[in-house]
Amino acid sequence: AVLLAVVADKTGYPAEVLKPEQRLEAELGIDSIKRVEILSAVQQQLPGLPEMDATRLAALQTLGEVIDALRTALDGTTGAPAAPDAPSSPPDAPSSPPTRVDRHVVRWTPAPPTGLVPSALRAGALAIVGTPSIARPLAARIREAGLEAEPVSTVGARHAGLIDLRCLEAVGPTALVDATSAVFSELQTFSRQREPDAPTLAVVVQDAAGPGAIDPSRAWGAGAVAVYKTLAAERPRWSVRTIELARGGLAPAQLAERIADELLFGGGELEIGIDETGARFAIEAVHEPIVSAAPRLGPQDVVVVSGGARGVTAACAVALAEATRARFVLLGRTPLGEEPPWAVGVPTDEAALRRAALESLPPGTGPAELAAAAVAVSAGREVKTTLARIEANGGDATYVSVDVTDGAAVADALDDVRRDHGPITALVHAAGVIADKRLEDKARQAFDRVVAVKVEGARALLEATRDDALKAVLFFSSVAARTGNVGQADYAAGNAVLNALARAEAVRRPHAVVRALGWGPWAGGMVTPALADHFRARSVPLIDLEDGARRFVDELEADGSPEVVIGPLPDRSERASSSPSVWLSHQSAPELDGHRVLDHVVVPMVWAIELFCRAAAEGSDGEGSFVCEDLRVLCGIEVPAFDAQGMWLTVEAASRDGALDMSLVDEAGKRRIVATLGRPHEGNEASPPRAMANGASWPWRADAVYDGPLFHRGAFSVIDTLESLGHAGASARVSGVRQRAWSTRRWQTDPAALDAALQLLLLWARAETDQAALPLRIARTTWHGGPSATPLRCELRARRDGPTIHADAWLLDDADRAVGRLEGVEVHLLGRDQWVPA
């Protein structure tokens, strides 16, 4: 009863004509925004009703399904609902004001691989869809890592992962847009087959908007990545990856190699770009205020605005008219004409107009027809109001009713504009529609329609103005294109294409301002008061209507990036992520070839420290400082097939008292190396020791220690100069990963320099005891600031305690600052002829 009363109040339909079997959208015209408004009103009348997910509500098709969902929700609560006739909202309910929001420019920034990849990669069979010339060698390469992968025409129920290459083979705008639609359908099929919490990998590869120069012909395929970003928002427990791959003239097999390298030992970021050279990049949104240039437009200019007669775009057009006194031609779908007699004098209120239509239209007129009649009247009034406001603010305004997705009609309309008003000098594409539903519930027809208004509209407008000397091209995009948004796979995809087109058009028109504006939610337009409350309850700031309009004008007169985000960037840090995996093989970690014992590669303790720190730092920027405590080798890790298939390890972490309990786990689920990871405390570092005074002579020449006393070779030959040795310790000059040219990785520590300290300890143990030794525990390792740019000095202090040696070591830069420290290293003596790795 409460629901039917609210629906009647919000839609204008008499309660007696509402039936449970009626379809919300098709018959009653209740779209996703109206559903939020209705749900908000119902929750106000039923305070015992738990908060419901608006996107789940969007999946319900009929009034009866909504009623059942509300009953189910209420049955699980103890609160008693309020009386049905309670007021729909408190009379004095405060409304928090819109919040000023930030402006970010979007750019690609170098992101060396981490080697830590989603464990979902190993969850089961991987289906590779599309572009067979790449799919076949990609599957073969993945299988070399001991994983199951196969090229398929469509994903099946047996698959635990989907890698979609479809956009790589499409050519031309139409084919690329169609490929994006097919990507959506394939992902929808896959999503329906997999449980939200099941270990699942979903990867899409495209070549539309990556780092480096953009190919304008590929920009039309940029929407596929946004579809996958939306999936990441809707299924946060899945491992979702998007890869922008520059072709660079490479053969299909070479492109397959680059994709495989990224999947097997790239990282776990949501969005990665790989340029023509194979360099790896991540997207970065940087706060940047507007740097204004000279005004570009004035009274002589003609500005064409699609979707500019209604909503927030109308407010922007009015503000631009006030700033420029230009001539405006507004394009929209709403036909203008005289209002029907039944609407005259009726307030511009959706419910009131529907009631008036119901009383005047022929009996039997259905809810959908009533809704359409009411919308036509209110839309027409809004268009006329916008035209009047532009005129009142000094501009000249004309309205043209045209379907912006119809290229021929748009071209004809703009020919008329040039004839009647003069050359077109600015273009604003803001037309758009929404049909929010979660990906698995969204109809492909709805997806295509939402995308078409953005993409085909842009295509028609750009083609019709190709020869115009435009001073400005502005696209109204959305933050959803950059981050994904629950229920908006189509809207995100369409706007992602606009972002890519802005980059391409900026190159083609170097003297014009070309920009895609990724707006966050506004406090107006399609955002109703109920929807605004929905955003505010989730601490999502809204763009004030006047403030946003001023920002639009500023953007038109500003230099800089072709893509900006105006509004909040969602925090995805709450997304659950599975413990990452690392593949150890000659391909992924060639340095380990120098850490062999009896010809078997063994994982060093310092490698575990690096992996633990890398996992803790995943998703953060830059290099930090780490403390690794109580590092213990429970069981050494030998990589028996290092030169072939290698082995997989998993880095597991559990939070405890502000720290992380870390484990390195083998393929059988056995913990091999464990530690606790935290951050160093200020002022808790002991002063580094003075350099060792020259003690006894070294028993071996400095350049010969790797010919006998140490088993380390190649990249692990990191002791440069042996400076001193005494009963209390030793000194040496050592190299780090940069000096030894280890692989380009996002190193969080310097495992080469840290291992040098352990190697120096083994040398000391041999000199003091004539025995080999095995390090099994490090009480505390501290490291500051990533790999060292210069060689370091290692100072070791050690003492023997029966069969055990206890030691501390410092790694010092040229200014005698400690960049690393190992405390409480425990080494067990093994005998004269034993060799055990550090």
Side-chain angles (χ1 to χ4, degrees):
V2 172
L3 175 67
L4 295 179
V6 169
V7 171
D9 177 61
K10 298 297 182 184
T11 63
Y13 302 132
E16 60 269 17
V17 307
L18 298 175
K19 308 296 182 185
E21 64 273 11
Q22 287 171 332
R23 300 180 68 81
L24 296 171
E25 198 157 354
E27 296 180 71
L28 300 177
I30 299 176
D31 60 14
S32 57
I33 293 176
K34 178 61 70 176
R35 293 183 200 205
V36 173
E37 183 180 352
I38 290 171
L39 178 61
S40 177
V42 170
Q43 287 177 317
Q44 288 174 352
Q45 295 199 35
L46 301 176
L49 181 68
E51 185 172 341
M52 296 182 67
D53 184 349
T55 57
R56 283 298 179 192
L57 182 69
L60 304 177
Q61 301 296 317
T62 67
L63 275 177
E65 290 177 5
V66 177
I67 292 169
D68 290 342
L70 294 176
R71 281 203 186 102
T72 300
L74 279 172
D75 287 345
T77 66
T78 56
D85 58 352
S88 60
S89 61
D92 299 321
S95 178
S96 56
T99 307
R100 293 186 65 87
V101 291
D102 288 334
R103 176 187 190 268
H104 295 81
V105 299
V106 178
R107 65 191 185 196
W108 290 100
T109 185
T114 66
L116 296 176
V117 300
S119 291
L121 183 68
R122 303 161 54 203
L126 304 176
I128 306 176
V129 179
T131 319
S133 62
I134 297 176
R136 286 190 294 269
L138 175 59
R141 176 73 193 286
I142 291 174
R143 288 195 292 266
E144 289 176 3
L147 306 177
E148 186 180 355
E150 58 181 350
V152 296
S153 58
T154 188
V155 69
R158 64 180 292 268
H159 295 118
L162 169 63
I163 303 171
D164 200 318
L165 311 179
R166 202 183 307 258
C167 286
L168 295 177
E169 62 189 334
V171 177
T174 299
L176 283 164
V177 174
D178 289 346
T180 300
S181 182
V183 165
F184 158 75
S185 290
E186 194 72 56
L187 189 59
Q188 184 180 68
T189 298
F190 184 56
S191 180
R192 288 170 174 169
Q193 293 171 351
R194 300 288 294 174
E195 293 298 323
D197 293 335
T200 303
L201 179 75
V203 181
V204 67
V205 186
Q206 68 180 32
D207 61 344
I214 186 170
D215 181 349
S217 68
R218 307 302 297 170
W220 303 97
V225 158
V227 174
Y228 270 66
K229 290 179 188 175
T230 295
L231 175 74
E234 293 183 358
R235 295 215 167 182
R237 299 196 68 83
W238 281 20
S239 296
V240 181
R241 310 268 343 267
T242 68
I243 302 172
E244 283 281 4
L245 178 68
R247 292 175 181 264
L250 297 178
Q254 294 170 303
L255 294 173
E257 283 289 319
R258 289 194 172 172
I259 298 170
D261 286 348
E262 177 56 35
L263 293 176
L264 296 175
F265 44 86
E269 300 95 330
L270 171 61
E271 184 172 15
I272 282 296
I274 301 171
D275 73 3
E276 293 87 348
T277 70
R280 190 174 187 270
F281 294 82
I283 279 289
E284 182 181 32
V286 182
H287 177 72
E288 184 177 285
I290 287 179
V291 178
S292 295
R296 286 182 167 85
L297 303 182
Q300 75 284 358
D301 287 294
V302 176
V303 184
V304 173
V305 187
S306 75
R310 301 178 59 199
V312 298
T313 318
C316 293
V318 170
L320 187 59
E322 183 179 13
T324 65
R325 306 295 195 267
R327 288 165 285 176
F328 290 82
V329 178
L330 309 183
L331 310 181
R333 292 170 297 167
T334 301
L336 282 187
E338 294 298 323
E339 287 188 1
W342 58 262
V344 176
V346 178
T348 306
D349 173 79
E350 185 178 331
L353 286 168
R354 287 185 182 182
R355 281 190 289 269
L358 180 67
E359 294 170 358
S360 303
L361 294 179
T365 302
E369 291 84 354
L370 293 176
V375 167
V377 171
S378 62
R381 290 177 180 179
E382 189 175 358
V383 171
K384 293 173 183 176
T385 299
T386 299
L387 296 174
R389 291 179 63 201
I390 290 175
E391 299 277 357
N393 280 276
D396 179 78
T398 302
Y399 179 78
V400 178
S401 177
V402 64
D403 179 358
V404 75
T405 68
D406 185 336
V410 169
D412 290 343
L414 296 195
D415 283 342
D416 293 342
V417 169
R418 297 183 190 94
R419 184 193 64 228
D420 297 338
H421 302 283
I424 298 170
T425 55
L427 175 65
V428 180
H429 178 37
V433 295
I434 61 172
D436 291 1
K437 279 187 173 65
R438 295 179 74 92
L439 191 142
E440 61 262 34
D441 301 320
K442 191 182 294 286
R444 181 163 176 174
Q445 183 179 10
F447 179 93
D448 291 342
R449 180 170 61 90
V450 172
V451 170
V453 175
K454 287 292 183 182
V455 176
E456 296 302 329
R459 185 178 175 185
L461 290 166
L462 290 176
E463 186 61 34
T465 57
R466 180 162 298 278
D467 298 326
D468 289 290
L470 299 180
K471 301 177 183 179
V473 179
L474 268 66
F475 297 113
F476 271 45
S477 182
S478 168
V479 68
R482 177 51 48 206
T483 63
N485 192 35
V486 174
Q488 292 193 323
D490 40 15
Y491 194 65
N495 283 302
V497 174
L498 298 188
N499 293 347
L501 289 175
R503 288 180 57 192
E505 197 70 11
V507 174
R508 198 175 80 83
R509 297 182 182 271
H511 302 296
V513 56
V514 181
R515 187 161 297 133
L517 308 177
W519 297 108
W522 290 62
M526 290 185 290
V527 178
T528 63
L531 192 54
D533 291 341
H534 176 77
F535 282 125
R536 292 184 183 116
R538 288 154 179 79
S539 301
V540 177
L542 302 177
I543 300 171
D544 175 75
L545 203 60
E546 292 185 4
D547 180 37
R550 285 193 299 269
R551 285 172 180 257
F552 165 75
V553 175
D554 291 342
E555 291 289 348
L556 191 143
E557 297 183 350
D559 293 322
S561 171
E563 182 186 351
V564 300
V565 175
I566 304 173
L569 288 168
D571 179 11
R572 297 290 188 218
S573 61
E574 77 280 2
R575 289 186 65 222
S577 60
S578 58
S579 301
S581 289
V582 58
W583 182 40
L584 298 185
S585 72
H586 184 73
Q587 296 181 63
S588 64
E591 299 82 11
L592 291 180
D593 192 59
H595 201 268
R596 289 177 179 265
V597 178
L598 301 177
D599 203 36
H600 294 298
V601 168
V602 179
V603 178
M605 296 176 74
V606 296
W607 202 273
I609 295 173
E610 169 65 26
L611 292 178
F612 291 159
C613 293
R614 207 180 291 176
E618 199 164 46
S620 64
D621 297 327
E623 300 163 343
S625 298
F626 296 93
V627 169
C628 184
E629 297 184 314
D630 195 21
L631 180 76
R632 289 173 291 133
V633 178
L634 305 181
C635 182
I637 305 175
E638 183 181 305
V639 188
F642 180 76
D643 296 317
Q645 185 174 303
M647 73 179 299
W648 288 90
L649 297 173
T650 301
V651 183
E652 294 184 349
S655 299
R656 178 176 58 84
D657 299 331
L660 292 172
D661 289 333
M662 312 292 295
S663 301
L664 202 54
V665 180
D666 66 17
E667 293 171 337
K670 182 179 180 180
R671 294 194 307 158
R672 297 296 197 97
I673 302 177
V674 297
T676 298
L677 203 66
R679 296 283 184 179
H681 300 292
E682 292 292 333
N684 197 32
E685 291 293 322
S687 300
R690 295 177 178 272
M692 282 284 296
N694 286 332
S697 299
W698 280 98
W700 313 283
R701 298 191 323 275
D703 60 353
V705 295
Y706 294 109
D707 290 336
L710 292 178
F711 63 86
H712 309 75
R713 299 290 184 271
F716 275 84
S717 300
V718 287
I719 296 179
D720 298 328
T721 305
L722 307 176
E723 296 183 337
S724 61
L725 172 69
H727 294 301
S731 297
R733 299 291 296 182
V734 303
S735 288
V737 299
R738 290 181 177 171
Q739 292 77 56
R740 284 292 180 263
W742 284 24
S743 300
T744 304
R745 289 282 186 270
R746 202 176 307 175
W747 300 104
Q748 296 296 328
T749 65
D750 196 319
L754 286 170
D755 201 71
L758 295 182
Q759 293 178 33
L760 187 60
L761 177 55
L762 296 186
L763 287 175
W764 183 89
R766 175 67 77 169
E768 285 291 307
T769 69
D770 197 26
Q771 295 186 55
L774 171 65
L776 288 181
R777 180 177 181 269
I778 305 175
R780 181 182 175 92
T781 303
T782 306
W783 191 265
H784 302 285
S788 175
T790 61
L792 300 171
R793 189 178 92 250
C794 181
E795 290 292 335
L796 175 74
R797 300 295 179 268
R799 70 181 189 280
R800 180 177 180 178
D801 185 10
T804 303
I805 291 174
H806 296 275
D808 297 327
W810 288 259
L811 290 155
L812 311 172
D813 63 15
D814 291 337
D816 275 346
R817 292 184 296 258
V819 297
R821 185 180 180 191
L822 292 83
E823 302 171 72
V825 183
E826 293 184 9
V827 175
H828 293 262
L829 297 172
L830 300 173
R832 293 186 178 183
D833 299 321
Q834 299 293 321
W835 280 113
V836 180

